[in-house]
């Protein structure tokens, strides 16, 4: 297997999830609430054999003290992929920052930002380096 095939095989789940999101986008089109896309994506991913948790609570800590604040991650797939969904006209840097903060707080390795709010589905994929914590964009080759 060559390097490109190995790279694409390693990140196949990104393409799989994006493909399912495209099915949802084609059926529902833009204009629904984020929760409708979330429910459909969860259902279809589970049919494809993925383990999916919806609205996963994320507590916030100051050092060792849990604060009176939590966030909710839209979807967590196979315990290590955070999928942040949007239904807005344009996905912007604050949406990426939200996902990246979730990745840092949970130490999860992978993250996806998917926007259903425009005429074309928008999807970005990210990987967090477990040693440095740096997040980089992933592309299939």
């Amino acid at each position: 297997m060559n390097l490109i095939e190995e790279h694409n095989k390693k990140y196949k789940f990104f393409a799989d999830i994006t493909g399912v999101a495209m099915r949802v986008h084609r059926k529902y089109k833009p204009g629904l609430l984020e929760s409708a896309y979330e429910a459909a994506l969860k259902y279809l991913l589970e049919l494809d054999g993925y383990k999916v948790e919806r609205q996963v609570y994320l507590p916030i800590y100051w050092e060792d003290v849990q604060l009176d604040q939590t966030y909710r991650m839209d979807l967590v797939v196979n315990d290590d992929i955070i999928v942040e969904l949007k239904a807005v006209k344009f996905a912007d840097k604050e949406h990426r920052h939200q996902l990246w903060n979730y990745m840092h707080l949970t130490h999860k390795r992978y993250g996806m930002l998917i926007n259903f709010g425009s005429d074309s589905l928008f999807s970005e994929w990210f990987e967090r380096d477990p040693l440095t914590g740096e997040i980089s964009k992933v592309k299939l080759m």
Side-chain angles (χ1 to χ4, degrees):
M1 185 179 303
N2 68 35
L3 290 176
I4 292 174
E5 289 172 340
E6 286 180 35
H7 174 85
N8 289 344
K9 184 177 179 184
K10 176 182 176 184
Y11 298 114
K12 183 181 181 309
F13 60 88
F14 281 137
D16 290 348
I17 295 168
T18 300
V20 172
M22 290 172 73
R23 286 178 56 200
V24 172
H25 188 264
R26 277 194 304 271
K27 180 167 181 73
Y28 286 156
K29 312 279 189 256
L32 296 178
L33 293 175
E34 184 182 298
S35 57
Y37 303 110
E38 183 181 298
L41 192 57
K42 178 183 187 300
Y43 172 73
L44 292 172
L45 286 171
E46 288 177 336
L47 285 180
D48 285 349
Y50 285 94
K51 176 185 171 202
V52 184
E53 297 174 88
R54 185 174 175 204
Q55 292 298 310
V56 178
Y57 281 94
L58 174 59
I60 303 300
Y61 291 86
W62 183 263
E63 296 178 0
D64 293 335
V65 177
Q66 185 173 341
L67 302 177
D68 186 22
Q69 173 66 43
T70 59
Y71 288 98
R72 287 186 295 172
M73 298 178 285
D74 293 332
L75 298 173
V76 176
V77 179
N78 288 356
D79 296 322
D80 203 29
I81 309 160
I82 300 170
V83 181
E84 182 60 30
L85 304 178
K86 298 297 174 194
V88 295
K89 189 156 182 87
F90 299 104
D92 209 345
K93 66 181 179 182
E94 61 264 12
H95 302 122
R96 287 179 196 86
H97 287 219
Q98 179 184 8
L99 172 61
W100 297 343
N101 282 326
Y102 290 169
M103 291 171 71
H104 284 302
L105 290 168
T106 62
H107 302 280
K108 296 207 181 292
R109 182 130 189 208
Y110 303 105
M112 294 183 71
L113 175 61
I114 302 174
N115 182 24
F116 290 93
S118 63
D119 289 336
S120 298
L121 182 83
F122 172 84
S123 174
E124 283 186 318
W125 314 336
F126 301 96
E127 181 174 16
R128 183 182 168 279
D129 185 295
L131 298 176
T132 66
E134 289 184 33
I135 294 176
S136 58
K137 193 170 183 177
V138 175
K139 293 182 181 183
L140 290 184
M141 298 202 255

